[in-house]
Amino acid sequence: MKHPFRLLAFLACLVHGVQATPDPDQPTPQRAYCNLLSTCKVLDVTASCTEATSAPVKGVELDQTYCGWVRGFSRRDIYPVNADAMEMYRFMGSKYHVMYVVVDTVPVPMAALDLMMANIPLAAKLINSYRGTQYTAQYPNPLDSLFFKGTNGRNLSGQARQLWIRDDHRERVYWGQGQVTVLKWKLIGNVVIEFRAWPPSPGSNLTCYSIRFTMFPANAFVNTIMNLGMFKSVAIGKIQEILADVMLASQAYAQGKPPQTPASYTPEEKAVLADFERLYHAGNPQLPKNPSQ
């Protein structure tokens, strides 16, 4: 049982970097950026690259499959026009990259899922109330809901910015930073997260989703660790724990079950929860409703 609402407050949980010294041949940020654009044939909107900075970097292999992935960002009009996007492109041009993918189908209508993804601090409060957990999530700038910070209260913490959302909200792209403890390793670093969601059929009360995490290990040692099957399994399991907490809490609320610890909601939060319940029951009309709403 897994679910993606709240994952996004912790999208920096699967990050690279084990506080390790970079390989000596890791390119500088500018060389990484310019070589990436040159090799993958992406427009340099910053006009900051020269022939010298765009020359191939020894040890950095950018094949056509990887370049196809990179060009996908420019096709979405995600260019390095701000500090977050520039940093993302620089890391995409570094020596190592590791991708993890989580895929599932969950019994929540897509509109209800989308609403909770747009209200991350509220989702954290709901989880804590129903699951007895200690999640935190906040928008450091209340006027900027595209940037948020969060933690699961145990071994995951991070921050992220939404760089892009498709018009129909079926795809989102985030750039994040954070840290996680996996087995005996404490990892810190950066991650690109691509979230996709879609109903399996028109009017379905289910939502299919896929989440791709792309991370950039600092050196060969960390790269090896992150490619270990055991490491991947444990790391993905941590994500799935969060998703399960979200799904179980949201379903319990929508079905009117009592929370472990009652929470206090602002009038604005109550309005969002009422909308969530309405959208949830629009796709699941046979389920009992929350009598408090």
Side-chain angles (χ1 to χ4, degrees), residues 196-253:
R196 295 179 175 86
W198 64 97
S201 60
S204 174
N205 65 341
L206 304 177
T207 299
C208 304
Y209 74 86
S210 70
I211 311 172
R212 176 164 55 187
F213 303 82
T214 305
M215 298 145 285
F216 311 95
N219 59 37
F221 173 70
V222 178
N223 186 62
T224 298
I225 290 174
M226 296 191 70
N227 278 292
L228 292 174
M230 179 178 64
F231 182 95
K232 283 188 176 183
S233 177
V234 173
I236 289 176
K238 289 180 179 292
I239 294 175
Q240 293 173 335
E241 288 176 6
I242 295 172
L243 303 182
D245 280 339
V246 176
M247 185 186 73
L248 292 172
S250 60
Q251 286 185 323
Y253 174 82

Coordinates of all heavy atoms in Angstrom, one line a residue, residues 196-253:
R196 N 4.7 11.7 -12.4 CA 3.6 11.6 -13.4 C 2.5 10.9 -12.8 O 2.6 9.9 -12.0 CB 4.1 10.8 -14.6 CG 5.2 11.6 -15.4 CD 5.7 10.7 -16.6 NE 6.7 11.4 -17.4 CZ 8.0 11.4 -17.2 NH1 8.5 10.8 -16.2 NH2 8.8 12.1 -18.0
A197 N 1.2 11.3 -13.1 CA 0.0 10.6 -12.6 C -1.0 10.6 -13.7 O -1.1 11.6 -14.4 CB -0.5 11.3 -11.3
W198 N -1.8 9.6 -13.7 CA -2.9 9.5 -14.7 C -3.9 8.5 -14.3 O -3.6 7.5 -13.6 CB -2.3 9.1 -16.1 CG -1.7 7.7 -16.1 CD1 -2.2 6.6 -16.5 CD2 -0.3 7.4 -15.7 NE1 -1.4 5.5 -16.4 CE2 -0.2 6.0 -15.9 CE3 0.7 8.1 -15.1 CZ2 1.0 5.3 -15.5 CZ3 1.9 7.5 -14.8 CH2 2.0 6.1 -15.0
P199 N -5.2 8.7 -14.7 CA -6.2 7.7 -14.3 C -6.1 6.5 -15.3 O -5.8 6.7 -16.5 CB -7.5 8.4 -14.5 CG -7.2 9.5 -15.5 CD -5.8 9.9 -15.3
P200 N -6.3 5.2 -14.9 CA -6.1 4.1 -15.8 C -7.2 4.1 -16.9 O -7.0 3.5 -18.0 CB -6.2 2.9 -14.9 CG -6.9 3.4 -13.7 CD -6.5 4.8 -13.5
S201 N -8.3 4.8 -16.6 CA -9.4 4.9 -17.6 C -10.2 6.2 -17.3 O -10.2 6.7 -16.1 CB -10.3 3.7 -17.6 OG -10.9 3.5 -16.3
P202 N -10.9 6.8 -18.2 CA -11.7 8.0 -17.9 C -12.7 7.7 -16.8 O -13.4 6.7 -16.7 CB -12.5 8.2 -19.2 CG -11.6 7.6 -20.3 CD -11.0 6.4 -19.6
G203 N -12.7 8.7 -15.8 CA -13.7 8.6 -14.7 C -13.3 7.6 -13.6 O -14.1 7.3 -12.7
S204 N -12.1 7.0 -13.7 CA -11.7 6.0 -12.8 C -11.4 6.6 -11.4 O -11.1 7.7 -11.3 CB -10.4 5.3 -13.2 OG -9.9 4.4 -12.3
N205 N -11.7 5.8 -10.3 CA -11.4 6.2 -9.0 C -10.0 5.8 -8.6 O -9.6 5.9 -7.4 CB -12.4 5.7 -8.0 CG -12.4 4.1 -7.9 OD1 -11.8 3.5 -8.8 ND2 -12.9 3.6 -6.8
L206 N -9.2 5.4 -9.5 CA -7.8 5.0 -9.2 C -6.9 6.0 -9.9 O -7.3 6.7 -10.8 CB -7.5 3.6 -9.8 CG -8.4 2.4 -9.3 CD1 -8.0 1.2 -10.1 CD2 -8.3 2.3 -7.8
T207 N -5.6 6.0 -9.4 CA -4.6 6.9 -10.0 C -3.3 6.0 -10.2 O -2.9 5.4 -9.2 CB -4.3 8.1 -9.1 OG1 -5.5 8.9 -9.0 CG2 -3.2 8.9 -9.8
C208 N -2.8 6.0 -11.4 CA -1.5 5.4 -11.6 C -0.5 6.5 -11.5 O -0.8 7.6 -11.9 CB -1.5 4.8 -13.0 SG -2.7 3.6 -13.4
Y209 N 0.7 6.1 -11.0 CA 1.7 7.2 -10.9 C 3.1 6.5 -11.1 O 3.3 5.3 -10.9 CB 1.7 7.9 -9.6 CG 2.2 7.2 -8.4 CD1 3.5 7.1 -8.1 CD2 1.3 6.5 -7.6 CE1 4.0 6.4 -7.0 CE2 1.7 5.7 -6.5 CZ 3.1 5.7 -6.2 OH 3.5 5.0 -5.1
S210 N 4.0 7.4 -11.5 CA 5.5 7.0 -11.5 C 6.3 8.1 -11.0 O 5.9 9.3 -11.3 CB 5.9 6.6 -12.9 OG 6.0 7.7 -13.8
I211 N 7.3 7.8 -10.3 CA 8.2 8.9 -9.7 C 9.6 8.5 -10.0 O 10.0 7.4 -9.6 CB 8.0 9.1 -8.2 CG1 6.5 9.2 -7.9 CG2 8.8 10.3 -7.8 CD1 6.3 9.2 -6.4
R212 N 10.3 9.3 -10.8 CA 11.7 9.0 -11.1 C 12.6 10.0 -10.4 O 12.5 11.2 -10.5 CB 12.0 9.1 -12.6 CG 13.4 8.9 -13.0 CD 13.6 8.7 -14.5 NE 13.0 9.7 -15.3 CZ 12.9 9.6 -16.7 NH1 13.4 8.5 -17.3 NH2 12.4 10.5 -17.4
F213 N 13.5 9.4 -9.6 CA 14.5 10.2 -8.9 C 15.9 10.0 -9.6 O 16.3 8.9 -9.8 CB 14.7 9.6 -7.4 CG 13.4 9.5 -6.6 CD1 12.5 8.5 -6.8 CD2 13.1 10.5 -5.7 CE1 11.4 8.4 -6.0 CE2 12.0 10.5 -5.0 CZ 11.1 9.4 -5.1
T214 N 16.5 11.2 -9.9 CA 17.8 11.1 -10.5 C 18.8 11.9 -9.6 O 18.5 13.0 -9.3 CB 17.8 11.8 -11.9 OG1 16.8 11.1 -12.7 CG2 19.1 11.7 -12.6
M215 N 19.8 11.2 -9.2 CA 20.8 11.7 -8.2 C 22.2 11.7 -8.8 O 22.4 11.0 -9.8 CB 20.7 10.9 -6.9 CG 19.3 10.9 -6.3 SD 18.9 9.4 -5.5 CE 18.5 8.4 -6.9
F216 N 23.1 12.5 -8.2 CA 24.4 12.7 -8.8 C 25.5 12.5 -7.8 O 26.0 13.4 -7.1 CB 24.4 14.2 -9.3 CG 23.2 14.5 -10.2 CD1 22.1 15.1 -9.6 CD2 23.1 14.1 -11.5 CE1 20.9 15.3 -10.3 CE2 22.0 14.4 -12.2 CZ 20.9 15.0 -11.7
P217 N 25.9 11.2 -7.6 CA 27.0 10.9 -6.6 C 28.2 11.7 -6.9 O 28.6 12.0 -8.0 CB 27.2 9.4 -6.9 CG 25.9 8.9 -7.5 CD 25.4 10.0 -8.3
A218 N 28.9 12.1 -5.7 CA 30.1 12.9 -5.8 C 31.3 12.2 -6.3 O 32.2 12.8 -6.9 CB 30.3 13.5 -4.4
N219 N 31.4 10.9 -6.0 CA 32.6 10.1 -6.4 C 32.2 8.7 -6.7 O 31.1 8.2 -6.6 CB 33.6 10.2 -5.4 CG 33.2 9.7 -4.0 OD1 32.4 8.7 -3.9 ND2 33.6 10.4 -2.9
A220 N 33.2 7.9 -7.1 CA 33.0 6.5 -7.6 C 32.5 5.7 -6.4 O 31.7 4.8 -6.6 CB 34.3 6.0 -8.1
F221 N 33.0 5.9 -5.2 CA 32.6 5.1 -4.0 C 31.1 5.3 -3.8 O 30.4 4.3 -3.6 CB 33.4 5.5 -2.8 CG 32.9 4.9 -1.5 CD1 33.1 3.5 -1.3 CD2 32.3 5.6 -0.6 CE1 32.7 2.9 -0.2 CE2 31.9 5.0 0.6 CZ 32.1 3.7 0.8
V222 N 30.6 6.5 -3.7 CA 29.2 6.8 -3.5 C 28.4 6.2 -4.6 O 27.3 5.6 -4.4 CB 29.0 8.3 -3.3 CG1 27.5 8.5 -3.1 CG2 29.7 8.8 -2.1
N223 N 28.9 6.4 -5.9 CA 28.2 5.8 -7.0 C 28.0 4.3 -6.9 O 26.9 3.8 -7.2 CB 28.9 6.2 -8.3 CG 28.2 5.8 -9.5 OD1 27.1 6.3 -9.8 ND2 28.8 4.9 -10.3
T224 N 29.0 3.6 -6.4 CA 28.9 2.2 -6.3 C 27.9 1.8 -5.2 O 27.1 0.9 -5.4 CB 30.3 1.6 -5.9 OG1 31.2 1.8 -6.9 CG2 30.2 0.1 -5.6
I225 N 27.9 2.5 -4.1 CA 26.9 2.3 -3.0 C 25.5 2.4 -3.5 O 24.7 1.6 -3.3 CB 27.2 3.3 -1.8 CG1 28.5 2.9 -1.1 CG2 26.0 3.2 -0.8 CD1 28.8 3.9 0.0
M226 N 25.3 3.5 -4.2 CA 23.9 3.8 -4.6 C 23.4 2.9 -5.7 O 22.2 2.8 -5.9 CB 23.8 5.3 -5.1 CG 24.1 6.2 -4.0 SD 23.7 7.9 -4.4 CE 21.9 7.8 -4.4
N227 N 24.3 2.1 -6.4 CA 23.9 1.2 -7.4 C 23.7 -0.2 -6.8 O 23.4 -1.2 -7.5 CB 24.8 1.2 -8.5 CG 24.6 2.3 -9.5 OD1 23.5 2.3 -10.2 ND2 25.4 3.3 -9.6
L228 N 24.1 -0.4 -5.5 CA 23.9 -1.7 -4.9 C 22.4 -2.1 -4.8 O 21.6 -1.2 -4.4 CB 24.5 -1.7 -3.5 CG 26.0 -1.6 -3.4 CD1 26.4 -1.5 -1.9 CD2 26.7 -2.9 -4.0
G229 N 22.1 -3.3 -5.1 CA 20.7 -3.7 -5.1 C 20.1 -3.6 -3.7 O 18.9 -3.1 -3.5
M230 N 20.9 -3.9 -2.6 CA 20.4 -3.8 -1.3 C 20.1 -2.4 -0.9 O 19.1 -2.0 -0.3 CB 21.4 -4.4 -0.3 CG 21.1 -4.3 1.2 SD 22.3 -5.1 2.2 CE 23.7 -4.1 2.0
F231 N 21.0 -1.5 -1.3 CA 20.9 -0.1 -1.0 C 19.6 0.5 -1.6 O 18.8 1.2 -1.0 CB 22.1 0.7 -1.4 CG 22.0 2.2 -1.1 CD1 22.6 2.7 0.1 CD2 21.3 3.1 -1.9 CE1 22.5 4.0 0.4 CE2 21.2 4.4 -1.6 CZ 21.9 4.9 -0.4
K232 N 19.4 0.2 -2.9 CA 18.2 0.6 -3.6 C 17.0 0.2 -3.0 O 16.0 0.9 -2.8 CB 18.3 0.2 -5.1 CG 19.2 0.9 -6.0 CD 19.0 0.5 -7.4 CE 19.9 1.3 -8.4 NZ 19.6 1.0 -9.8
S233 N 17.0 -1.1 -2.6 CA 15.8 -1.7 -2.0 C 15.4 -1.0 -0.7 O 14.3 -0.6 -0.4 CB 16.0 -3.2 -1.7 OG 14.9 -3.8 -1.0
V234 N 16.4 -0.7 0.2 CA 16.2 0.0 1.4 C 15.7 1.4 1.2 O 14.8 1.9 1.8 CB 17.4 -0.1 2.4 CG1 17.2 0.8 3.6 CG2 17.7 -1.5 2.8
A235 N 16.4 2.1 0.3 CA 16.0 3.5 0.0 C 14.6 3.6 -0.6 O 13.8 4.5 -0.1 CB 17.0 4.1 -1.0
I236 N 14.3 2.8 -1.5 CA 12.9 2.8 -2.1 C 11.9 2.4 -1.0 O 10.8 3.0 -1.0 CB 12.8 1.9 -3.3 CG1 13.7 2.5 -4.5 CG2 11.4 1.7 -3.7 CD1 13.7 1.7 -5.7
G237 N 12.3 1.5 -0.1 CA 11.4 1.1 1.0 C 11.0 2.3 1.9 O 9.9 2.4 2.3
K238 N 12.0 3.2 2.1 CA 11.7 4.4 2.9 C 10.7 5.3 2.2 O 9.9 5.9 2.9 CB 13.1 5.1 3.1 CG 14.0 4.4 4.1 CD 15.3 5.2 4.3 CE 16.2 4.5 5.3 NZ 15.7 4.5 6.6
I239 N 10.8 5.4 0.9 CA 9.8 6.2 0.2 C 8.4 5.6 0.3 O 7.4 6.3 0.6 CB 10.2 6.3 -1.3 CG1 11.5 7.1 -1.5 CG2 9.1 7.0 -2.1 CD1 12.0 7.1 -2.9
Q240 N 8.4 4.3 0.2 CA 7.1 3.6 0.2 C 6.5 3.7 1.6 O 5.2 3.7 1.7 CB 7.3 2.1 -0.2 CG 7.7 2.0 -1.7 CD 8.0 0.6 -2.2 OE1 8.5 -0.2 -1.4 NE2 7.9 0.4 -3.4
E241 N 7.3 3.7 2.6 CA 6.7 3.9 4.0 C 6.0 5.3 4.1 O 4.9 5.4 4.6 CB 7.9 3.9 5.0 CG 8.5 2.5 5.3 CD 9.6 2.6 6.2 OE1 9.9 3.7 6.8 OE2 10.3 1.6 6.4
I242 N 6.6 6.3 3.5 CA 6.0 7.6 3.5 C 4.6 7.6 2.7 O 3.6 8.1 3.1 CB 6.9 8.7 2.9 CG1 8.1 8.8 3.8 CG2 6.2 10.0 2.7 CD1 9.2 9.7 3.2
L243 N 4.7 6.9 1.5 CA 3.5 6.9 0.7 C 2.4 6.1 1.4 O 1.2 6.5 1.3 CB 3.9 6.2 -0.6 CG 5.0 6.9 -1.4 CD1 5.2 6.2 -2.7 CD2 4.7 8.3 -1.7
A244 N 2.7 5.1 2.1 CA 1.7 4.3 2.8 C 1.1 5.1 3.9 O -0.1 5.1 4.1 CB 2.3 3.0 3.4
D245 N 1.9 5.9 4.6 CA 1.4 6.8 5.7 C 0.4 7.8 5.1 O -0.7 8.0 5.7 CB 2.5 7.6 6.4 CG 3.3 6.8 7.4 OD1 2.7 5.8 7.9 OD2 4.4 7.1 7.7
V246 N 0.7 8.3 3.9 CA -0.2 9.3 3.3 C -1.5 8.7 2.9 O -2.6 9.2 3.2 CB 0.5 9.9 2.1 CG1 -0.4 10.9 1.4 CG2 1.8 10.7 2.5
M247 N -1.4 7.6 2.2 CA -2.6 6.9 1.7 C -3.5 6.5 2.9 O -4.7 6.8 2.9 CB -2.3 5.7 0.9 CG -3.5 5.1 0.3 SD -3.2 3.5 -0.6 CE -2.9 2.4 0.8
L248 N -3.0 5.9 3.9 CA -3.8 5.4 5.0 C -4.4 6.6 5.8 O -5.6 6.5 6.2 CB -2.9 4.6 6.0 CG -2.5 3.2 5.4 CD1 -1.5 2.6 6.3 CD2 -3.6 2.3 5.1
A249 N -3.7 7.7 6.0 CA -4.2 8.8 6.7 C -5.3 9.5 5.9 O -6.4 9.8 6.4 CB -3.1 9.8 7.0
S250 N -5.1 9.7 4.6 CA -6.1 10.4 3.8 C -7.4 9.6 3.6 O -8.5 10.1 3.7 CB -5.5 10.7 2.4 OG -5.1 9.6 1.7
Q251 N -7.2 8.3 3.5 CA -8.4 7.4 3.4 C -9.2 7.4 4.7 O -10.4 7.5 4.7 CB -8.0 6.0 3.0 CG -7.6 5.8 1.5 CD -7.3 4.4 1.2 OE1 -6.7 3.6 2.0 NE2 -7.6 4.0 0.0
A252 N -8.4 7.3 5.8 CA -9.1 7.3 7.1 C -9.9 8.6 7.3 O -11.0 8.5 7.8 CB -8.1 7.1 8.2
Y253 N -9.3 9.7 7.0 CA -10.0 11.0 7.1 C -11.3 11.0 6.3 O -12.4 11.4 6.7 CB -9.1 12.2 6.8 CG -9.9 13.5 6.8 CD1 -10.1 14.1 8.0 CD2 -10.4 14.0 5.6 CE1 -10.8 15.3 8.1 CE2 -11.1 15.2 5.7 CZ -11.3 15.8 6.9 OH -12.1 17.0 6.9

